Amino acid sequence: MVKGGTHVRQGGESISCLETWLRLAGPKTMKQWKDGRSAKESARAWLERAPDCVPAEIEQALSAHPDFGTILPGWSAEPEARVAFDSFGGEPSNLDVLLTTSDEEGQLVIAVEAKADEPFGNTVEKTLCQARKRKAENPASRGVDRVEQLAAAILGVPGHKLPEVGELRYQLLTASAAALAEAQRRCVGRAVLIIHEFASDQTSCQKHLENAEDLNAFVTKLSDGEVTSVAEGTVRGPFELPGHPLIDSQIRFYIGKAVRNLRGSSG
């Protein structure tokens, strides 16, 4: 049994062991709860250290950037956090972990997306195609509006230019929007999206590479070509985003990547 993590909570209930994490914030099916896969390894990473410590690789990635200091005690982490970023209703963004914390510079919000080697969801093009089909069946559907609003607010791309970003991964858009929306709700001036990657004997090096390429394509568009990659153990930014019509606060936005290598480990 893995214990610790007294700052990890879901629905007001403290999580200090894998069994409680599985009960309160586990995956939809037990097939996803395996050693070497993101759901279980993310839980381990958040519960294994002393109560006041976030996963070491996340701390290290943040500390590599001059805009962040040491994470202070008193942080709060919520697994499977549901964060709405627009007014359209429906399913909000489900963040693997939502971390609210402070460093010497003040408060910050960190959205953590845990990945083994699964992709960042569908592409924008496929998501938009599905949304258009739903709208044809139900004119009240707002899925197309959601995609268009996200592209405008995060990437500065109007609806008629969506084909330009069709190959980007939609999950990176929603996770970014969720981090920003939560920071705005809390009146916090910094928001970070961190990809927490787990490389194990059960994961594919090729799929890790494909995910890296998708993340790099996203930050390249986000920065208008000024930033073309997010290396392991780094945080890039801040990125200047349009924000409107989703975000109207001045929030500095960053994207980082933290990696835990489990290869050769029995878990």
Side-chain angles (χ1 to χ4, degrees):
M1 180 180 293
V2 181
K3 293 187 176 181
T6 58
H7 295 290
V8 182
R9 305 182 69 85
Q10 224 304 327
E13 188 171 342
S14 179
I15 299 176
S16 60
C17 65
L18 287 178
E19 290 84 352
T20 306
W21 185 298
L22 176 60
R23 176 171 60 85
L24 296 176
K28 293 180 180 179
T29 68
M30 285 301 296
K31 290 193 297 183
Q32 297 172 287
W33 188 254
K34 292 181 178 180
D35 292 342
R37 306 306 302 180
S38 61
K40 193 171 186 178
E41 296 302 342
S42 176
R44 276 202 178 101
W46 285 93
L47 299 176
E48 69 182 5
R49 300 185 75 199
D52 279 332
C53 297
V54 305
E57 56 272 22
I58 291 180
E59 281 189 308
Q60 290 163 4
L62 288 167
S63 67
H65 195 291
D67 287 0
F68 302 98
T70 301
I71 290 180
L72 302 176
W75 53 267
S76 175
E78 180 185 357
E80 287 300 307
R82 295 165 61 85
V83 180
F85 53 77
D86 60 29
S87 60
F88 294 142
E91 185 69 14
S93 178
N94 275 47
L95 298 175
D96 291 319
V97 178
L98 173 63
L99 174 64
T100 52
T101 186
S102 299
D103 61 11
E104 293 92 336
E105 304 300 321
Q107 293 180 304
L108 63 150
V109 166
I110 302 176
V112 181
E113 285 295 328
K115 290 291 175 189
D117 59 3
E118 60 271 66
F120 293 106
N122 289 330
T123 62
V124 170
E125 180 182 27
K126 186 171 183 179
T127 302
L128 185 61
C129 181
Q130 293 172 340
R132 285 170 173 160
K133 288 181 179 178
R134 291 195 301 273
K135 190 170 183 66
E137 297 168 357
N138 175 16
S141 173
R142 303 299 301 275
V144 173
D145 298 326
R146 171 169 283 166
V147 176
E148 291 180 346
Q149 194 173 85
L150 276 168
I154 305 300
L155 302 173
V157 174
H160 69 279
K161 290 190 175 182
L162 277 175
E164 295 180 7
V165 295
E167 294 304 310
L168 297 183
R169 293 289 175 171
Y170 185 66
Q171 187 182 50
L172 293 170
L173 274 173
T174 58
S176 299
L180 288 160
E182 189 65 22
Q184 180 169 262
R185 269 191 288 273
R186 294 174 179 269
C187 298
V188 173
R190 292 174 296 165
V192 189
L193 170 61
I194 288 188
I195 308 305
H196 196 185
E197 182 177 277
F198 299 89
S200 74
D201 295 331
Q202 288 75 45
T203 62
S204 160
C205 291
Q206 178 59 34
K207 290 180 179 179
H208 284 302
L209 177 60
E210 291 169 1
N211 279 351
E213 291 173 347
D214 284 335
L215 180 60
N216 292 343
F218 184 72
V219 297
T220 298
K221 183 61 179 179
L222 199 68
S223 65
D224 198 23
E226 291 187 17
V227 177
T228 58
S229 67
V230 182
E232 296 181 8
T234 67
V235 172
R236 305 301 303 268
F239 299 100
E240 293 185 8
L241 310 183
H244 182 79
L246 290 178
I247 306 297
D248 54 23
S249 301
Q250 293 297 315
I251 299 170
R252 288 178 285 166
F253 181 62
Y254 305 79
I255 295 182
K257 184 175 181 179
V259 177
R260 178 167 291 204
N261 188 352
L262 302 166
R263 291 198 168 98
S265 169
S266 63

